[in-house]
Amino acid sequence: MPDADKIFNAKNNLIFPGFIDVHTHMRDSTLEYKENFVTGTSAAVAGGFTTILDMPNTVPPITSVKELIHRKHTAKNTILCNMGFYCSPLSGKDIKELINEGAIGFKIYLHKPFEDQDLSNNNIMEIMLEIKKNNSILCVHAEDYSFSGNSESTSSNKAEVLAINKIINLVKQINCKIHFAHISTHEGLEIIKKHKNVLNISCEATPHHALLDKNDASDNFGYCEPKLKDKTDRESILKGIIDGSIDIVATDHAPHTIAEKKNLKKPGFPGLETT
Ligand code: DOR
Ligand code: ZN
């Protein structure tokens, strides 16, 4: 190493490289009343993050080159850390041009497809095929569609298991790179572990799914998707982070206003600054 210009004595503190958060929801634009790029990336830097990846469920969502360009343009000269942008493809045909415009990867929400987005197995396979061809990655919110609208079962253990199994069956045919977002159940993690050595899959977990369960935060303020599960799930997630079967800790930073949390039970909460 060359000599340093400046020497800083960190005493007994731990020193880390800048953190990377692969799962954040920066609000800005139409959702600026919750947070904007300045406040959101300030929270990132305060939490030790120097790079964050932004999820595409903005309003409108980042499903086209036009929206991706708009997002990048809004971020330019405003953000305080590095940022990469996920896109959500409507079909396989969108992949190449979104990559050319700088898409860092692709995300699908199995339980909540966007307008005009067909998440039938056939269309998902077409998307996977193009992602593989272009050496990109598909990040999956793994909660099964068949439960959406049914508040009893939405975000249940079963919804996660069904969705992971469905994606694994498709990956067995296509073998594109898959990243499972915010794994929250013991069973879900077990299935991923079983297939990790043969398939090109990785997964992440959030601090809240590793440290809290449904008994810790059962009110609207503790509601997130996937929701907080049982103590046994929480213990498996924490164990998975420690033993390395969970590849990444990601915050799923998703702020809302207090009124939205209280009255509308909006899912998610901030995570960047508190991680
Ligand atoms: O808790 C969540 N909040 N889960 C999601 O999938 C979306 C996110 C948000 O954007 O509010
Ligand atoms: Zn998220």
Side-chain angles (χ1 to χ4, degrees):
M1 293 289 284
D3 285 343
D5 294 328
K6 198 173 164 186
I7 293 174
F8 176 78
N9 185 349
K11 305 215 173 86
N12 294 324
N13 292 292
L14 298 173
I15 305 175
F16 296 93
F19 293 141
I20 298 169
D21 192 346
V22 300
H23 191 146
T24 71
H25 299 264
M26 288 288 112
R27 303 306 192 184
D28 211 280
S29 302
T30 57
L31 302 178
E32 194 170 356
Y33 65 92
K34 300 179 203 254
E35 168 186 83
N36 61 28
F37 280 138
V38 175
T39 61
T41 56
S42 296
V45 172
F49 295 93
T50 49
T51 298
I52 60 174
L53 304 188
D54 182 44
M55 287 300 173
N57 65 330
T58 45
V59 180
I62 315 295
T63 52
S64 65
V65 165
K66 182 175 152 255
E67 291 303 332
L68 177 58
I69 291 174
H70 177 252
R71 191 91 177 138
K72 288 198 301 180
H73 182 78
T74 315
K76 202 167 182 179
N77 303 325
T78 342
I79 54 178
L80 299 165
C81 62
N82 303 316
M83 225 175 140
F85 300 95
Y86 267 103
C87 296
S88 194
L90 296 181
S91 80
K93 291 179 201 77
D94 301 330
I95 303 295
K96 188 146 183 101
E97 55 176 18
L98 286 166
I99 289 176
N100 288 343
E101 202 49 62
I104 202 88
F106 297 90
K107 167 91 179 271
I108 51 173
Y109 294 80
L110 289 179
H111 65 316
K112 282 181 190 168
F114 297 117
E115 213 184 323
D116 299 326
Q117 189 175 43
D118 159 22
L119 293 184
S120 62
N121 285 358
N122 275 347
N123 205 35
I124 294 176
M125 278 164 74
E126 190 196 306
I127 288 169
M128 284 180 172
L129 209 59
E130 285 303 310
I131 288 178
K132 185 185 152 109
K133 255 195 229 159
N134 289 282
N135 199 25
S136 187
I137 188 163
L138 181 64
C139 173
V140 181
H141 181 126
E143 295 196 276
D144 198 73
Y145 177 73
S146 52
F147 290 109
S148 55
N150 174 351
S151 57
E152 276 310 297
S153 329
T154 304
S155 209
S156 62
N157 288 45
K158 205 168 161 201
E160 186 166 290
V161 166
L162 272 177
I164 292 174
N165 274 333
K166 169 175 158 153
I167 292 297
I168 284 188
N169 282 333
L170 301 179
V171 183
K172 278 182 182 160
Q173 301 168 59
I174 311 278
N175 199 22
C176 94
K177 261 191 237 159
I178 297 287
H179 179 68
F180 287 104
H182 43 50
I183 294 306
S184 66
T185 66
H186 168 78
E187 303 92 305
L189 179 58
E190 287 304 307
I191 306 170
I192 292 172
K193 274 159 71 175
K194 213 172 90 191
H195 291 90
K196 267 189 120 180
N197 293 335
V198 262
L199 299 171
N200 215 340
I201 57 180
S202 57
C203 68
E204 71 186 37
T206 67
H208 43 279
H209 290 112
L211 300 173
L212 300 172
D213 57 60
K214 64 184 182 194
N215 304 311
D216 295 312
S218 54
D219 65 357
N220 287 5
F221 285 93
Y223 183 67
C224 52
E225 291 176 0
K227 66 184 176 193
L228 298 173
K229 303 292 195 309
D230 290 327
K231 181 167 177 270
T232 48
D233 294 305
R234 193 235 310 146
E235 287 168 347
S236 293
I237 298 302
L238 186 56
K239 188 168 167 289
I241 291 174
I242 293 167
D243 71 22
S245 48
I246 291 171
D247 306 270
I248 298 173
V249 176
T251 66
D252 201 2
H253 173 87
H256 298 283
T257 65
I258 288 176
E260 285 176 323
K261 290 296 293 177
K262 217 188 231 166
N263 308 324
L264 303 174
K265 206 180 175 183
K266 288 272 184 176
F269 25 75
L272 281 168
E273 195 169 344
T274 46
T275 296

